[in-house]
Amino acid sequence: MAETPPAETLPDRPARAAEDWTVPQDWDRYSAADHAMWDRLFDRQARMLPGRVVPEFIAGLDILRMDQPGIPRFDALSQRLMAATGWQVVAVPGLVPDRVFFDHLANRRFPAGRFIRTPAQEDYLQEPDIFHDVFGHVPLLANPVFADYMQAYGEGGLRADGLGAIEKLARLYWYTVEFGLIATPQGLRLYGAGIVSSNAESHFALEDPSPNRLGFDLQRLMRTRYRIDDFQQSYFVIDSFDQLLRQTVGTDFAPLYAALEQQSDFDTDTILPGDRVFTRGTQAYAHKKMQE
Ligand code: HBI
Ligand code: FE
């Protein structure tokens, strides 16, 4: 995820966020156009995701009753989420500092942007808006195993911060929570929030011959760079959310970070001899120039 941009560029920087950077959602401030934008984005994804997204995601939409029209009210959403897995959704102005972010996750609070993208940004925006955060991230927080993983990630982030290893841990978040794929008996399915909240990337990540699709391997993944401004050149596939949770809760990251210090990084399109290869991508998709 990009560094927190300066305040003047943020779409929604209030005069003063609280110590934990939370702000009121101010649901009454949303315009009819904002609600219409949410409905358009929601309907497009709700139509194309069944059969492409992991079933637990659809179950989360149902548990949280997110199929109601208009932008969800965070207090109502949090009530249902709290009953399911003890999580809640809190509004923030945009990207918050890493430690603040990790502390929220470690306490089962998901920090969600409260602004919604403009029509010009319909297919891509750099800063996560309410549709990316709430439609993309929140439904899986109703799944007990994934909910435990997200809290473990937050606790791991606070420890990583102390070890100066945030960049490596951010790759784990990026290639799972944001852009992860999962193997099911019916085939590969989407679960990453950055994918499921994007119509174009939902097709690209699952169906396009261009990207690699590689089996999840924690240490290898934490050596792999990622792109923040374009589709991924490689996606990583987990066997189950249980596998993801075991890898995170069951691992002492300190020696892993020490080992990673001595090892080089891999480019976004690398395939290694030891990789479990689901798709050897053609890399035919013309990615934007890599940001230096
Ligand atoms: N803040 N609101 C918000 N949302 C994020 O996803 C986020 C963040 N701050 C930091 C961050 N992500 C990443 O840098 C961490 O995963 C490392
Ligand atoms: Fe996100």
Side-chain angles (χ1 to χ4, degrees):
M1 196 59 84
E3 281 309 305
T4 309
E8 62 280 358
T9 62
L10 273 179
D12 175 27
R13 169 72 78 206
R16 178 96 182 84
E19 209 39 55
D20 60 2
W21 286 63
T22 55
V23 290
Q25 181 186 11
D26 279 347
W27 190 87
D28 296 323
R29 278 187 6 182
Y30 293 121
S31 68
D34 292 331
H35 289 295
M37 172 56 81
W38 171 278
D39 289 343
R40 188 158 61 254
L41 294 167
F42 183 96
D43 294 344
R44 191 170 61 165
Q45 288 312 93
R47 253 199 320 275
M48 68 87 69
L49 283 176
R52 290 188 172 94
V53 74
V54 69
E56 288 84 341
F57 178 89
I58 303 290
L61 288 178
D62 295 341
I63 292 166
L64 301 175
R65 280 189 260 148
M66 283 180 65
D67 56 349
Q68 293 169 4
I71 293 175
R73 293 171 186 270
F74 286 5
D75 51 1
L77 200 52
S78 293
Q79 265 178 355
R80 295 188 193 112
L81 194 53
M82 185 64 77
T85 55
W87 275 82
Q88 57 184 306
V89 182
V90 292
V92 290
L95 291 180
V96 302
D98 290 338
R99 280 203 71 78
V100 173
F101 180 67
F102 295 135
D103 184 66
H104 278 304
L105 298 187
N107 291 284
R108 298 205 172 217
R109 292 188 301 265
F110 189 80
R114 62 178 179 180
F115 73 95
I116 193 156
R117 65 193 70 183
T118 62
Q121 297 170 308
E122 181 151 344
D123 286 317
Y124 182 75
L125 75 162
Q126 180 86 24
E127 177 95 11
D129 73 336
I130 189 168
F131 187 74
H132 168 98
D133 279 334
V134 174
F135 180 85
H137 284 283
V138 171
L140 280 179
L141 290 175
N143 173 273
V145 179
F146 196 82
D148 288 353
Y149 171 65
M150 286 292 279
Q151 180 178 19
Y153 181 87
E155 291 165 345
L158 293 171
R159 285 196 299 272
D161 194 33
L163 297 167
I166 283 189
E167 186 199 4
K168 304 291 188 207
L169 194 72
R171 291 171 174 174
L172 174 60
Y173 190 86
W174 194 266
Y175 280 120
T176 58
V177 180
E178 293 294 358
F179 292 98
L181 300 181
I182 184 168
T184 77
Q186 291 72 36
L188 297 191
R189 290 292 182 267
L190 307 170
Y191 75 91
I195 304 177
V196 300
S197 59
S198 158
N199 189 259
E201 193 149 6
S202 291
H203 286 293
F204 181 83
L206 200 61
E207 294 144 12
D208 198 291
S210 178
N212 302 325
R213 297 176 183 88
L214 307 171
F216 176 93
D217 169 317
L218 183 65
Q219 184 154 353
R220 184 258 198 258
L221 179 154
M222 291 174 85
R223 295 177 62 185
T224 308
R225 294 190 194 94
Y226 58 82
R227 306 192 58 122
I228 60 165
D229 60 348
D230 200 348
F231 295 157
Q232 300 308 310
Q233 290 177 285
S234 294
Y235 294 92
F236 287 88
V237 181
I238 60 173
D239 296 322
S240 67
F241 293 138
D242 280 305
Q243 176 205 19
L244 198 51
L245 181 61
R246 269 197 316 278
Q247 293 271 334
T248 309
V249 171
T251 304
D252 176 359
F253 278 70
L256 175 57
Y257 293 140
L260 287 166
E261 285 284 303
Q262 311 305 323
Q263 297 171 321
S264 59
D265 285 344
F266 300 126
D267 271 341
T268 48
D269 58 353
T270 303
I271 296 184
L272 297 173
D275 280 340
R276 188 170 155 217
V277 180
F278 290 83
T279 308
R280 183 174 297 277
T282 62
Q283 300 302 340
Y285 173 79
H287 287 268
K288 292 179 205 158
K289 206 176 73 58
M290 196 70 169
Q291 278 180 347
E292 293 316 314

